[in-house]
Amino acid sequence: MGKTKIKPLYIFILCILMTVLVYMHTDGSIKELILRCRLRKTKPHIILIVVDALRADHLSCYGYKRNTSPNIDKFTKDSVLFRNAFSQYPGTVTSLASMLTGLYPNTHRAKLAIDSHTLETLSIVPIDNKLTTLAEIIKDYGYLTLGFVSSPLWLNNQLGFEQGFEHFYAIPGYADILNKNVYEVIGKFKEKKLFLFMHYIDVHSDSNRLPYEAPYPYSEMFTANYKGNFRGGEEDVWASLYLAQCNLKRRHSLSKVDICYIVDLYDQGIAYMDSEIGNLFNFLKKNGLYGDSLIIITSDHGEAFWEHGNFLHNTLYDEIMHVPLIIKFPHQLFRGREVNSLVEGIDIFPSILRLLNISVPESVQGKEFLSVILRDRRGKNYVFAGKDGFSMIRTQDIKLICHGNRIEFYNLDLDPDELNNVTNKKDIEMLRLYYMLDKWNRETLSAGSVVKTNGVNSNKKQVDTLRSLGYLH
């Protein structure tokens, strides 16, 4: 009896079925290998979206009572949602420098520096050009690197943020203007593999009349029924500057109704921003750039509304440090999953590289979180933020903040809003965190000893703008 010939098509189908079975029944390391090999071959587009000053707990998908984010909520169905992601600093320059270098603030040292005597002369410490940015590595791997930012005051070449980008566009204005420019540029380059970095400023506090101001019709979405008297400030102090003055004086004349109104204004900005993110995703889908792309939505920091006697963002409480992190993997892999493990903004850098099977530089301090998704590992036990004498360490259950000689210790299980400081020098857990934070500060400072910290002088226009946004008083 002759041998039966097996058609090549049947062999191909059998191989596919065997691969699927292996993927379903092997441990995470095999799954990760298969995934990385697949993505190394296809080279997905990478789109990193940063929405400035966006609190995680003001998005519907993070449990917020309002429907502020229907488009982002829809996006989460294709994505992995990280419930416990934390920024490394409560300020744009330092936080994004950490995200784009994979280094803690003590190490990269990029910041806005203010003269402590006059508060008038501002210098800027840029990202040291000896440091390697995410864009530089991805560019060397064959990607076209494009940056689009709506806040050129902070994210510019003077500060080092253009490092590694072949094209870097500073486009002041609302998100719809930024998006139009993105659509036009992508139309020219969509045949190439893209690394797209987008920074939106729309949710951030404003410098004109109201502290937060969205365009119509979002400007009346949640505030139409406000009956109070607050119109954005008083006398010659308005908008963000008014809130900054409240912080400086440690008092204000705002009623609870007025503060709720300010929150409503902030939420309207989120709703507007969400609509433009929806428009961006529709564009990507129509142009075949959505399905096979790695898309990340996150923020540099959140925003405070007097929960701890402050507005804006200059403390280390969770309303500022807890940020959204939502990642859509190519072909919607792992869609609908939620990760409760602790992650940090600096972890984005090594996670993208590991996903693409690119070697992560030894100097990078972030840890990839791909294994947390694939192998259901717990991930980090601690997250850190701040620098020098202004820093924090946090677990899932407890948190320590050090600000000069002041120490705050919170039991997050019993006090998730960080309202009851239970500092006790005899508390073993508190002492353990204190010594860990001290060690972290010393080690990360030491790692940055070779970084240049020479500031560059700002001009008067930059100083005036920073003051109007509440960064100077």
Side-chain angles (χ1 to χ4, degrees), residues 23 28-44 141 329 333-334 350-360 368 370-371 374-375:
Y23 188 82
S29 59
I30 301 295
K31 292 180 182 180
E32 181 179 344
L33 179 62
I34 294 171
L35 174 63
R36 289 168 60 196
C37 287
R38 179 181 178 184
L39 294 182
R40 182 177 178 86
K41 184 177 181 180
T42 60
K43 290 179 69 172
Y141 189 60
F329 286 86
L333 293 170
F334 321 118
S351 297
I352 291 176
L353 296 187
R354 186 167 177 82
L355 187 67
L356 298 175
N357 205 23
I358 302 174
S359 297
V360 179
E368 59 85 18
L370 192 61
S371 58
L374 286 168
R375 307 178 204 175

Side-chain angles (χ1 to χ4, degrees), residues 401-417:
I401 299 173
C402 291
H403 194 175
N405 294 325
R406 177 175 171 78
I407 297 175
E408 300 175 49
F409 182 56
Y410 297 100
N411 183 329
L412 300 174
D413 282 338
L414 301 176
D415 179 28
D417 296 325

Side-chain angles (χ1 to χ4, degrees), residues 20-220:
V20 171
L21 288 172
V22 168
Y23 188 82
M24 291 175 61
H25 295 286
T26 53
D27 66 15
S29 59
I30 301 295
K31 292 180 182 180
E32 181 179 344
L33 179 62
I34 294 171
L35 174 63
R36 289 168 60 196
C37 287
R38 179 181 178 184
L39 294 182
R40 182 177 178 86
K41 184 177 181 180
T42 60
K43 290 179 69 172
H45 301 294
I46 304 165
I47 302 173
L48 175 56
I49 300 170
V50 176
V51 182
D52 204 302
L54 179 60
R55 283 176 65 146
D57 63 353
H58 276 241
L59 295 177
S60 311
C61 52
Y62 280 86
Y64 194 44
K65 61 184 184 299
R66 272 184 175 148
N67 186 21
T68 55
S69 52
N71 291 289
I72 294 177
D73 297 347
K74 182 179 178 181
F75 175 71
T76 62
K77 296 179 181 178
D78 291 336
S79 310
V80 178
L81 186 145
F82 291 78
R83 290 261 168 217
N84 291 293
F86 291 86
S87 166
Q88 268 52 75
Y89 198 77
T92 300
V93 170
T94 302
S95 175
L96 288 184
S98 283
M99 190 183 300
L100 296 177
T101 64
L103 302 173
Y104 286 112
N106 276 335
T107 302
H108 66 70
R109 304 190 182 181
K111 63 180 180 179
L112 292 174
I114 303 168
D115 188 292
S116 60
H117 298 290
T118 65
L119 295 183
E120 292 294 331
T121 304
L122 176 75
S123 66
I124 296 170
V125 179
I127 299 172
D128 193 328
N129 58 18
K130 292 197 297 290
L131 300 177
T132 303
T133 66
L134 178 62
E136 286 180 289
I137 295 176
I138 292 180
K139 179 181 176 182
D140 290 342
Y141 189 60
Y143 278 80
L144 177 66
T145 52
L146 304 172
F148 295 85
V149 301
S150 55
S151 180
L153 175 67
W154 298 291
L155 308 185
N156 55 46
N157 188 48
Q158 188 183 32
L159 279 157
F161 283 99
E162 294 184 16
Q163 192 172 323
F165 288 98
E166 292 185 53
H167 303 280
F168 195 87
Y169 304 89
I171 307 164
Y174 284 120
D176 62 327
I177 298 174
L178 188 75
N179 278 353
K180 287 176 183 177
N181 283 269
V182 169
Y183 304 157
E184 181 180 342
V185 173
I186 287 182
K188 298 176 183 178
F189 297 119
K190 65 180 181 180
E191 301 304 319
K192 296 180 177 289
K193 287 300 178 182
L194 303 175
F195 170 62
L196 180 63
F197 171 68
M198 301 179 66
H199 174 262
Y200 294 106
I201 197 68
D202 302 78
V203 177
H204 195 283
S205 57
D206 210 341
S207 60
N208 296 318
R209 184 177 66 88
L210 293 171
Y212 305 92
E213 200 158 5
Y216 183 82
Y218 298 92
S219 57
E220 298 178 356

Side-chain angles (χ1 to χ4, degrees), residues 418-463:
E418 303 165 272
L419 298 176
N420 183 25
N421 181 5
V422 292
T423 299
N424 181 347
K425 293 182 179 180
K426 295 182 180 180
D427 189 299
I428 295 176
E429 284 296 291
M430 193 200 83
L431 291 174
R432 181 174 64 88
L433 290 191
Y434 179 83
Y435 287 116
M436 287 183 66
L437 184 59
D438 178 66
K439 180 183 178 184
W440 172 82
N441 270 309
R442 286 186 283 105
E443 289 180 348
T444 53
L445 276 168
S446 176
S449 60
V450 298
V451 172
K452 291 185 298 184
T453 56
N454 296 325
V456 294
N457 290 328
S458 67
N459 56 44
K460 183 178 185 301
K461 182 178 179 182
Q462 287 176 315
V463 173

Side-chain angles (χ1 to χ4, degrees), residues 119-327:
L119 295 183
E120 292 294 331
T121 304
L122 176 75
S123 66
I124 296 170
V125 179
I127 299 172
D128 193 328
N129 58 18
K130 292 197 297 290
L131 300 177
T132 303
T133 66
L134 178 62
E136 286 180 289
I137 295 176
I138 292 180
K139 179 181 176 182
D140 290 342
Y141 189 60
Y143 278 80
L144 177 66
T145 52
L146 304 172
F148 295 85
V149 301
S150 55
S151 180
L153 175 67
W154 298 291
L155 308 185
N156 55 46
N157 188 48
Q158 188 183 32
L159 279 157
F161 283 99
E162 294 184 16
Q163 192 172 323
F165 288 98
E166 292 185 53
H167 303 280
F168 195 87
Y169 304 89
I171 307 164
Y174 284 120
D176 62 327
I177 298 174
L178 188 75
N179 278 353
K180 287 176 183 177
N181 283 269
V182 169
Y183 304 157
E184 181 180 342
V185 173
I186 287 182
K188 298 176 183 178
F189 297 119
K190 65 180 181 180
E191 301 304 319
K192 296 180 177 289
K193 287 300 178 182
L194 303 175
F195 170 62
L196 180 63
F197 171 68
M198 301 179 66
H199 174 262
Y200 294 106
I201 197 68
D202 302 78
V203 177
H204 195 283
S205 57
D206 210 341
S207 60
N208 296 318
R209 184 177 66 88
L210 293 171
Y212 305 92
E213 200 158 5
Y216 183 82
Y218 298 92
S219 57
E220 298 178 356
M221 190 171 186
F222 303 125
T223 58
N225 296 323
Y226 173 63
K227 304 299 182 183
N229 297 317
F230 179 66
R231 295 295 177 264
E234 55 189 27
E235 298 178 356
D236 60 343
V237 181
W238 294 84
S240 296
L241 183 57
Y242 177 80
L243 299 185
Q245 290 294 314
C246 294
N247 293 345
L248 190 65
K249 297 174 182 176
R250 303 296 296 171
R251 60 181 174 81
H252 61 78
S253 59
L254 298 171
S255 67
K256 289 184 179 180
V257 172
D258 294 333
I259 294 177
C260 288
Y261 171 64
I262 293 172
V263 173
D264 294 342
L265 293 171
Y266 175 79
D267 287 346
Q268 289 174 168
I270 296 176
Y272 166 69
M273 184 71 258
D274 176 80
S275 71
E276 286 302 323
I277 287 178
N279 291 336
L280 172 67
F281 289 160
N282 288 335
F283 170 83
L284 295 175
K285 290 173 181 177
K286 289 178 182 177
N287 287 272
L289 300 172
Y290 181 85
D292 66 345
S293 293
L294 175 70
I295 303 176
I296 302 170
I297 295 178
T298 189
S299 182
D300 52 349
H301 55 76
E303 196 80 335
F305 297 104
W306 212 254
E307 295 92 342
H308 293 91
N310 280 276
F311 292 110
L312 305 174
H313 44 271
N314 56 11
T315 70
L316 296 172
Y317 300 113
D318 276 7
E319 59 262 23
I320 295 173
M321 304 311 295
H322 181 211
V323 295
L325 179 61
I326 308 166
I327 302 179

